[in-house]
Amino acid sequence: IPDFEGTQPGLNIILRDRADDLISPILYFSAAQLNILSLSVFLANALHAKDDKGQPLDVILIDDPIQSMDSINVLAVIDLLRNISLRFNKQIIISTHDENFFDLLQLKIPSDILGSKFLQLESYGVVRQAQDAHDFVTGISRVPITKDSKGN
């Protein structure tokens, strides 16, 4: 049920039991389970989204999809997103502030195999120099090589 009453719009998911009473998952699920349920509903809708002319959209935009999830669910979400991209030919754009999630994405959706693109911002509007997944795993940051005035 869409909710436009508050300061931010929301989506309230409710179920009906056999007695036709309303049941709210919020009363029974953990924060991670609610996030997974929300992501599932979002992705189901996104797979069938169409533009104003009725043409399917080939892109899915997601902001921080892994809040409150444990490691196994984070890995499962990455696998799910990779499979959706490949199976349904969708471009998936993810924004996140979680560097561990960013690193896992680079390892599980490698650029050299799947053509993935990864960007990091150093500051507002400034893109950080590209690094590869190995650099993130080992914690080595790539430092640009500069030459002195003599070319050494």
Side-chain angles (χ1 to χ4, degrees):
I1 300 174
D3 179 8
F4 299 106
E5 298 288 323
T7 57
Q8 292 187 340
L11 178 64
N12 297 314
I13 298 172
I14 56 172
L15 307 169
R16 292 192 182 272
D17 64 10
R18 291 183 180 155
D20 207 32
D21 293 326
L22 296 178
I23 301 172
S24 175
I26 293 173
L27 301 175
Y28 303 99
F29 288 179
S30 69
Q33 289 170 322
L34 288 171
N35 197 25
I36 291 168
L37 177 61
S38 298
L39 183 61
S40 299
V41 170
F42 170 80
L43 289 172
N45 284 319
L47 285 173
H48 302 288
K50 297 184 184 306
D51 66 13
D52 293 342
K53 297 178 182 174
Q55 297 298 313
L57 296 176
D58 294 330
V59 66
I60 299 173
L61 303 163
I62 306 172
D63 181 36
D64 271 330
I66 60 156
Q67 298 161 355
S68 305
M69 289 187 197
D70 59 10
S71 298
I72 194 73
N73 284 316
V74 169
L75 293 171
V77 165
I78 294 171
D79 290 339
L80 175 65
L81 294 174
R82 181 185 60 228
N83 289 334
I84 286 173
S85 178
L86 294 172
R87 183 171 179 203
F88 296 99
N89 196 28
K90 299 283 186 183
Q91 178 182 24
I92 300 178
I93 299 173
I94 302 169
S95 65
T96 185
H97 67 279
D98 187 322
E99 289 186 29
N100 291 328
F101 180 54
F102 180 83
D103 295 348
L104 281 171
L105 285 167
Q106 287 195 304
L107 289 173
K108 293 191 61 89
I109 309 174
S111 298
D112 55 341
I113 296 172
L114 298 171
S116 307
K117 307 283 187 249
F118 297 94
L119 300 174
Q120 283 183 299
L121 299 178
E122 285 186 4
S123 61
Y124 184 79
V126 178
V127 177
R128 181 178 292 167
Q129 179 181 346
Q131 296 177 321
D132 60 33
H134 175 74
D135 294 334
F136 290 104
V137 173
T138 59
I140 301 169
S141 55
R142 203 178 270 177
V143 178
I145 299 172
T146 59
K147 295 183 178 185
D148 62 19
S149 60
K150 297 178 184 176
N152 296 324

